[in-house]
Amino acid sequence: MSRDTGRFTVLHLSDVHATESGLLYGAVDGLGRMARVGDYARAAGITPEVVVVTGDLAQRGEPGAYPAVAEACRRLGEAVGAPVLTVLGNHDDPAAARVLPGHADGHSGERTVDGFRIVRLDTSTGALDAQQLDWLAAVLADPSERGTILALHHAPIGSPMPALSRQGLANPEALLAVLAGSDTCAILAGHFHHALTASVQGIPVFVAPSLAYHQVMDAGPHAVAGHDSPMFSLVQFTETGVSSSAIALQTPEPLFTRPISPIPEKANHVS
């Protein structure tokens, strides 16, 4: 698809916080919201090449949630016609998560989609150990055709919220040292429950908002609070750059609706 359109599109989801039973905080159905992302993409005509879910798949690692997460990923992949790749977050249970597609033999890996290499890393401990960093260095030693997209839960930066300013990756310098001079064209992350765009060592960093709840940004310097505003991101790579757009699943009443006329093709002029 991207070869024809000139765009490589990633549906970037994060922080699902699925539960074994019931609703999170009595209101949140994380898996149902994954299905709603598929519905949204189809209705909007979005045809992604890949779906990336950057961690906190289950609430506090509830082991009974993972089979349902695996099924939700399968259904989402079928709905949008693209592979679904997942990484683990600090809420996730590495043992229970082995039932997820692509996790039976470990929680890091790589997959090439239309020339882009997507590398998944496991930051369920909040950091990257030496073994993962050595593996990543070996992978990056061989450049991919169109570049490498890194997916992990903890971004190598902090949040602008005072209460979350130290909640990024515990050892960002170690990761960035491995990425220096590599073909990494973007880092996709989650964890903060709010969208964030940054550049670190010239590499774009896109933190997706959460499907579970969105941070109350003015909760104060010593507190975090969430409100029911599920969101995901649409990341698009083109020949000239990359962009990320946060999209809300809520559908408030529009102020107006009007059709958009097709842009007429320019007439050919003969001099």
Side-chain angles (χ1 to χ4, degrees):
M1 288 179 282
S2 64
R3 303 285 183 172
D4 298 330
T5 64
R7 294 189 301 271
F8 182 88
T9 299
V10 181
L11 283 184
H12 182 191
L13 285 57
S14 200
D15 297 271
V16 179
H17 291 273
T19 56
E20 288 182 336
S21 62
L23 300 178
L24 179 67
Y25 301 122
V28 175
D29 176 7
L31 300 183
R33 292 178 177 186
M34 288 183 66
R36 287 171 59 191
V37 171
D39 295 339
Y40 186 105
R42 289 198 306 273
I46 299 170
T47 55
E49 277 65 51
V50 66
V51 180
V52 176
V53 190
T54 50
D56 279 2
L57 307 169
Q59 173 69 2
R60 303 201 179 280
E62 295 180 0
Y66 288 97
V69 171
E71 177 63 13
C73 289
R74 184 190 67 78
R75 291 183 178 180
L76 178 57
E78 289 183 350
V80 300
V84 178
L85 308 180
T86 56
V87 302
L88 301 191
N90 52 288
H91 269 260
D92 289 308
D93 181 339
R98 289 190 180 272
V99 302
L100 298 173
H103 289 261
D105 298 322
H107 303 301
S108 57
E110 59 173 311
R111 177 164 178 172
T112 298
V113 180
D114 201 3
F116 281 94
R117 175 172 55 197
I118 297 97
V119 174
R120 300 179 296 112
L121 296 175
D122 175 12
T123 65
S124 54
T125 65
L128 291 167
D129 60 22
Q131 182 178 0
Q132 276 199 90
L133 291 169
D134 289 345
W135 172 80
L136 177 61
V139 169
L140 295 177
D142 182 18
S144 184
E145 177 189 353
R146 302 176 72 183
T148 295
I149 301 168
L150 200 65
L152 72 171
H153 185 63
H154 297 80
I157 53 174
S159 165
M161 290 183 63
L164 298 176
S165 62
R166 298 184 180 181
Q167 297 299 313
L169 186 68
N171 55 340
E173 297 84 1
L175 172 62
L176 295 175
V178 173
L179 299 184
S182 73
D183 69 342
T184 304
C185 55
I187 299 172
L188 307 184
H191 187 55
F192 293 149
H193 286 242
H194 67 76
L196 175 64
T197 299
S199 177
V200 181
Q201 291 186 178
I203 302 173
V205 179
F206 301 119
V207 177
S210 169
L211 280 182
Y213 63 86
H214 194 274
Q215 292 287 357
V216 176
M217 301 301 285
D218 59 352
H222 305 296
V224 292
H227 56 84
D228 192 2
S229 181
M231 304 175 73
F232 66 98
S233 290
L234 185 68
V235 182
Q236 292 188 314
F237 297 82
T238 67
E239 291 183 357
T240 58
V242 58
S243 66
S244 179
S245 302
I247 299 174
L249 277 181
Q250 292 176 326
T251 54
E253 287 296 321
L255 291 175
F256 67 91
T257 300
R258 63 174 178 237
I260 299 177
S261 301
I263 299 175
E265 295 184 3
K266 292 183 179 179
N268 293 324
H269 296 282
V270 178
S271 57

